[in-house]
């Protein structure tokens, strides 16, 4: 497989290195399976020399070398501020990369990206109508900017009609393994073992609900009210009235900002609190369940397993 990896000024160093290292190791370890696939990786860029986010110099081949690639990989920009990120992906500086993405999609070539790199794909218009994911804490900005994209955080890696996207920062590792897995699941397992990479099915265990809530004043008020009533039965109409908005306005604000329903957001806050209490106290599961609004411990146990991927014992570190 011919793989073109786009590099540009300000590219995220760890994201770029993760793609290169995982595919390089896949080539090196391929001898352990019968008829291994191989990946011929070329870095391409709009300039003969680019400087990464950490200041390293990279000398790519011209963008035209991507025209014959079987796969185009777009690592994320090293930008953590949502406003600055949007300025970057929509500005003249990133235009050559956006044009390359659009041309590549028009040819029907597979494209892959992770973290904030998904913004470049969305800005190029190739994600409209498709499912995609990005780093969880940038999701409010993404939803607001690209309403035609179906943002989904239920999986760490999401494939949709020839475009693969992955979650936050070190989701580049998951993305690279997914590229290997598409050709050889057996080789992907070998690479993961050699590099000691654990499976991370979703970003749910890492998401901080309060960080998302601060992107919208209505959601922030709803979060604060919910935390104050976490042990009580929570009524969404009552919550809306308490913070001075209609139930419809609350539902829309939560969906727009967090990408879920108010009820689901309440569950997220309860799971977050319960996980903290399991890690930091010796309280029984029954006591913790009551503190976060669940009458039956088994309800909490099931939700913890679904949302965090861990048992209560594992969360306690036992």
């Amino acid at each position: 497989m011919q793989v073109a990896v786009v590099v540009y000024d300000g590219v995220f160093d760890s994201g770029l290195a993760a793609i290169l290292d995982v595919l390089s190791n896949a080539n090196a370890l391929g001898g352990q399976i019968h008829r291994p696939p191989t990946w011929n990786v070329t870095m391409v860029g709009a300039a003969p020399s680019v400087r990464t986010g950490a200041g390293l110099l990279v000398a790519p081949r011209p963008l035209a070398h991507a025209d014959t690639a079987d796969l185009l990989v777009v690592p994320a920009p090293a930008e953590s501020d949502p406003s600055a990120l949007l300025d970057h992906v929509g500005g003249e500086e990133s235009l050559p990369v956006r044009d390359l993405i659009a041309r590549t999609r028009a040819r029907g070539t597979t494209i892959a990206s992770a973290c904030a790199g998904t913004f470049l794909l969305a800005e190029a218009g190739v994600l409209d109508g498709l499912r995609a994911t990005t780093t969880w804490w940038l999701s409010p900005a993404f939803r607001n900017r690209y309403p035609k994209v179906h943002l989904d955080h239920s999986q760490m890696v999401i494939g949709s009609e020839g475009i693969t996207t992955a979650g936050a920062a070190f989701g580049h590792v998951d993305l690279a393994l997914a590229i290997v897995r598409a050709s050889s699941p057996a080789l992907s397992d070998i690479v993961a073992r050699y590099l000691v990479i654990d499976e991370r099915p979703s970003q749910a265990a890492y998401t901080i609900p309060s960080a998302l809530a601060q992107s919208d004043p209505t959601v922030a008020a709803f979060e604060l009210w919910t935390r104050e009533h976490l042990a009580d039965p929570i009524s969404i109409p009552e919550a809306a009235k308490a913070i001075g908005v209609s139930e419809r306005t609350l539902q829309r604000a939560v969906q727009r900002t967090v990408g879920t329903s108010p009820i689901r957001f309440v569950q997220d806050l309860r799971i977050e609190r319960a996980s903290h209490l399991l890690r930091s106290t010796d309280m029984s599961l029954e006591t913790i369940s009551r503190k976060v609004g669940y009458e039956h411990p088994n309800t909490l146990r099931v939700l913890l397993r679904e949302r965090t991927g861990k048992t209560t014992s594992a969360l306690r570190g036992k």
Side-chain angles (χ1 to χ4, degrees):
M1 176 179 286
Q2 301 296 319
V3 181
V5 180
V6 187
V7 293
Y8 49 88
D9 285 339
V11 69
F12 179 48
D13 293 68
S14 294
L16 173 61
I19 298 295
L20 300 178
D21 286 345
V22 169
L23 294 182
S24 175
N25 276 271
N27 285 332
L29 296 168
Q32 298 191 29
I33 66 171
H34 181 59
R35 294 183 179 178
T38 57
W39 293 266
N40 183 17
V41 182
T42 302
M43 288 187 290
V44 300
S49 177
V50 302
R51 190 174 294 276
T52 68
L56 301 180
L57 290 178
V58 177
R61 306 293 295 275
L63 290 179
H65 282 266
D67 291 344
T68 56
D70 304 303
L71 169 66
L72 178 70
V73 182
V74 185
E79 181 54 70
S80 58
D81 178 74
S83 296
L85 174 62
L86 291 175
D87 287 343
H88 170 76
V89 300
E92 289 296 318
E93 182 182 6
S94 70
L95 182 58
V97 175
R98 301 198 311 269
D99 286 346
L100 174 63
I101 292 168
R103 292 197 309 272
T104 301
R105 180 61 173 171
R107 289 197 308 272
T109 300
T110 303
I111 302 175
S113 187
C115 191
T118 310
F119 280 72
L120 284 166
L121 270 59
E123 194 71 25
V126 303
L127 290 180
D128 287 356
L130 303 184
R131 290 174 62 237
T133 192
T134 189
T135 178
W136 65 265
W137 52 270
L138 287 172
S139 59
F142 190 97
R143 287 191 180 92
N144 185 60
R145 177 86 160 200
Y146 312 111
K148 295 181 180 179
V149 183
H150 303 299
L151 193 62
D152 185 349
H153 289 315
S154 65
Q155 297 169 265
M156 183 65 79
V157 179
I158 288 179
S160 183
E161 298 186 19
I163 297 182
T164 303
T165 54
F170 292 100
H172 286 84
V173 174
D174 304 84
L175 180 69
L177 279 179
I179 291 170
V180 177
R181 190 178 303 114
S183 296
S184 174
L187 182 54
S188 174
D189 289 342
I190 291 171
V191 173
R193 288 177 179 272
Y194 268 82
L195 298 182
V196 195
I197 300 171
D198 293 326
E199 182 181 7
R200 296 176 294 178
S202 80
Q203 300 181 75
Y206 307 93
T207 302
I208 304 173
S210 57
L212 295 178
Q214 299 313 306
S215 300
D216 183 278
T218 297
V219 183
F222 176 56
E223 183 224 359
L224 179 61
W225 184 91
T226 300
R227 288 189 184 280
E228 293 173 347
H229 298 81
L230 214 54
D232 307 322
I234 289 180
S235 162
I236 300 305
E238 180 183 344
K241 183 178 180 180
I243 63 175
V245 298
S246 69
E247 183 180 357
R248 185 181 181 85
T249 296
L250 177 58
Q251 289 174 339
R252 285 180 172 177
V254 174
Q255 183 65 47
R256 181 180 62 248
T257 305
V258 187
T260 189
S261 67
I263 288 294
R264 174 90 178 195
F265 186 60
V266 170
Q267 289 180 342
D268 290 343
L269 294 174
R270 284 172 162 162
I271 294 302
E272 179 190 56
R273 180 61 177 165
S275 298
H276 171 73
L277 292 174
L278 283 166
R279 293 189 180 103
S280 61
T281 75
D282 293 325
M283 292 180 188
S284 68
L285 185 62
E286 291 77 8
T287 300
I288 293 174
S289 296
R290 290 193 296 272
K291 283 184 173 293
V292 297
Y294 293 114
E295 182 178 353
H296 302 291
N298 194 53
T299 302
L300 177 60
R301 184 181 287 111
V302 171
L303 283 171
L304 284 166
R305 187 62 182 266
E306 288 178 352
R307 301 294 178 84
T308 69
K310 296 181 179 181
T311 64
T312 53
S313 296
L315 287 167
R316 284 195 187 277
K318 296 181 179 178

